[in-house]
Amino acid sequence: MGTSARIALVLGGGGARAAYQAGVLKALRELLPTAGPSPFSIICAVSGGAVNGALLAAGAADFGSAVERLLAFWDGIVPAQVWRSHSLWRRWLSGDGALLDTAPLARNLAERIDFDAIAAAIEQRHLIALSLDCFGHASGQTVSFFQGRGDMDPWQAGGNAGAHVRLGLEHVLASSALPLFFPPQRLHREFFGDGVLGGGGSPIRTAQHLGAARILRIETDFPVPASGRTGEANSPGFPCMAGHVLNRLYRGSGAGACPLPLLTLAPSQDPAYLAAQHLAAMPSFSGWSMGNNPATGALLASYLLFDKGYGKALTDLGYRDAMERGTELTGLFGYSSALALG
């Protein structure tokens, strides 16, 4: 389709919930009538979406193959490839402010993301820019670290900034550093973590800064339904409380009104409900276990359960949701669904 269309892909996040995005992109690959380079000239991502964004950008020359690699990542993932647990006292003494060690994720992504291919995609005009949002723990500023064409300028706007850099593994790990659980990363002179801590709306603004004309946004949050009090007197426990904290952070992470044509997809089914069906695959950490009680463990597990069974459930959901909105999706790209489906 070429980069002249300047269609931006904005990927939200939320740890393991980002598998949902792979399913949406699988559907989009089938809905669009042509193969070849990525239909997205700009990719802006945050949190778990940063992993997907980097994988897609590295494969921008061949969108179909890039989606296949993305699906392979989520279809084969197990928790041990992402994080491992230490006892609490070791985490406190380490001073990195995180409950879990993500060294396995770093090794996994180092083998899968070809950062030289991102540079090549930009040089060959398959991609204008890839941007990853990170939150500076010292400055309190959200920084969109982006790699793009040489004539693209950095910016400063309120509590947000755009920094033109050559992206690397450390930027992906910083952007996807799930608050409290995954360790922040040192970038230059400051430690950075999940960009959602800065409000979550920055990827939309970044897409505008980078010259997007239209935007497809794929989020992973799901509204928690209101329910009456049940009189339950038991303590909620750490997994339940931590799940609610993360859910609050990742809910409503949009940037408000957007002046550009914008299509947003989000799960039609609660990811926590899907995670509840796979709790047996969730390892214990720091002395806490998810157990088998969906009421206390499923919400937190929906962010931390990097399991192929749960991942497939999310990709299947993303695929179904996207196919149901096929007319809107193909319309965003200037095609009719009838043409796309032959």
Side-chain angles (χ1 to χ4, degrees):
M1 193 168 186
T3 59
S4 60
R6 290 198 178 241
I7 300 177
L9 175 65
V10 168
L11 299 171
R17 291 182 176 211
Y20 174 83
Q21 297 167 347
V24 173
L25 292 163
K26 175 185 177 182
L28 185 62
R29 180 188 61 182
E30 296 181 13
L31 287 167
L32 296 184
T34 56
S38 171
F40 302 105
S41 57
I42 298 167
I43 301 174
C44 301
V46 63
S47 189
V51 174
N52 293 339
L55 284 166
L56 284 174
D62 186 339
F63 182 62
S65 296
V67 172
E68 278 302 314
R69 287 192 290 271
L70 193 59
L71 290 167
F73 173 79
W74 290 108
D75 288 347
I77 199 76
V78 295
Q81 295 175 334
V82 179
W83 57 265
R84 60 190 179 193
S85 177
H86 290 307
S87 62
L88 271 181
W89 69 269
R90 287 184 63 186
R91 300 313 300 155
W92 285 332
L93 288 177
S94 73
D96 63 10
L99 286 171
L100 303 174
D101 178 4
T102 54
L105 176 63
R107 291 192 294 270
N108 193 356
L109 295 182
E111 295 174 355
R112 292 177 180 271
I113 302 174
D114 184 348
F115 290 95
D116 289 337
I118 295 175
I122 294 170
E123 183 178 349
Q124 295 163 10
R125 304 182 69 83
H126 297 309
L127 187 69
I128 291 175
L130 167 67
S131 173
L132 306 177
D133 274 15
C134 304
F135 177 78
H137 285 281
S139 65
Q141 184 180 56
T142 300
V143 178
S144 298
F145 292 100
F146 71 93
Q147 183 172 348
R149 296 181 181 174
D151 60 352
M152 305 185 81
D153 296 324
W155 67 85
Q156 182 84 36
N160 300 94
H164 200 164
V165 300
R166 184 179 177 90
L167 293 170
L169 179 61
E170 65 276 18
H171 297 92
V172 178
L173 293 173
S175 185
S176 59
L178 201 69
L180 301 178
F181 291 94
F182 291 0
Q185 303 291 312
R186 183 164 188 162
L187 305 176
H188 309 291
R189 299 181 301 275
E190 187 175 1
F191 279 90
F192 285 86
D194 194 325
V196 76
L197 287 169
S202 184
I204 293 287
R205 294 188 291 270
T206 298
Q208 296 174 54
H209 277 294
L210 296 176
R214 286 170 279 170
I215 299 174
L216 172 64
R217 177 174 63 181
I218 312 175
E219 293 290 351
T220 66
D221 64 310
F222 186 87
V224 177
S227 59
R229 287 177 291 179
T230 63
E232 176 62 58
N234 294 330
S235 171
F238 176 82
C240 182
M241 291 188 291
H244 282 299
V245 168
L246 291 179
N247 203 56
R248 178 64 62 177
L249 279 173
Y250 289 102
R251 280 174 58 192
S253 59
C258 176
L260 304 177
L262 169 67
L263 176 61
T264 299
L265 272 75
S268 61
Q269 190 174 19
D270 190 350
Y273 173 80
L274 298 177
Q277 302 171 40
H278 299 275
L279 280 181
M282 178 71 183
S284 63
F285 63 93
S286 298
W288 286 294
S289 173
M290 298 296 101
N292 292 308
N293 184 354
T296 60
L299 189 55
L300 179 57
S302 71
Y303 295 98
L304 291 175
L305 184 52
F306 292 84
D307 168 70
K308 57 187 178 182
Y310 175 51
K312 187 175 188 309
L314 283 173
T315 55
D316 287 349
L317 178 62
Y319 178 83
R320 292 195 304 271
D321 286 352
M323 294 302 286
E324 287 178 3
R325 299 183 66 181
T327 300
E328 294 173 84
L329 275 169
T330 54
L332 184 72
F333 292 87
Y335 298 116
S336 70
S337 57
L339 173 63
L341 297 173

